[in-house]
Amino acid sequence: EILMSTSYKIIDCRIREGKRLLAETDLAPSQIASILGFSSSSYFCKTFSNIEGTSPTEYRKANQVKF
């Protein structure tokens, strides 16, 4: 149970950072996946969608900071 909790916290932290990068940068989701240590961009996108209920691309469209 502790391991499961710790794993979830790590993934949650990575997704929160992914949300920040999507909103504040023009990095491609594949680049963000690599920066965050996901094994592939598809795993990042699937995990992101499962947690956030939207794809990284759709999240960016709705939340990107305009400079």
Side-chain angles (χ1 to χ4, degrees):
E1 188 172 316
I2 292 172
L3 181 60
M4 185 81 126
S5 168
T6 302
S7 295
Y8 177 79
K9 287 179 182 179
I10 291 169
I11 290 171
D12 183 62
C13 182
R14 291 160 83 191
I15 294 300
R16 277 188 279 123
E17 180 64 5
K19 288 169 61 175
R20 186 189 71 76
L21 291 169
L22 287 164
E24 298 178 4
T25 74
D26 288 329
L27 294 170
S30 60
Q31 292 172 296
I32 293 172
S34 180
I35 289 167
L36 297 177
F38 281 88
S39 58
S40 69
S41 61
S42 61
Y43 180 59
F44 167 66
C45 291
K46 181 179 176 180
T47 303
F48 188 96
S49 294
N50 286 341
I51 292 173
E52 294 300 318
T54 188
S55 71
T57 302
E58 289 301 315
Y59 180 87
R60 171 174 276 156
K61 285 179 188 176
N63 296 281
Q64 191 163 37
V65 175
K66 306 291 188 239
F67 295 101

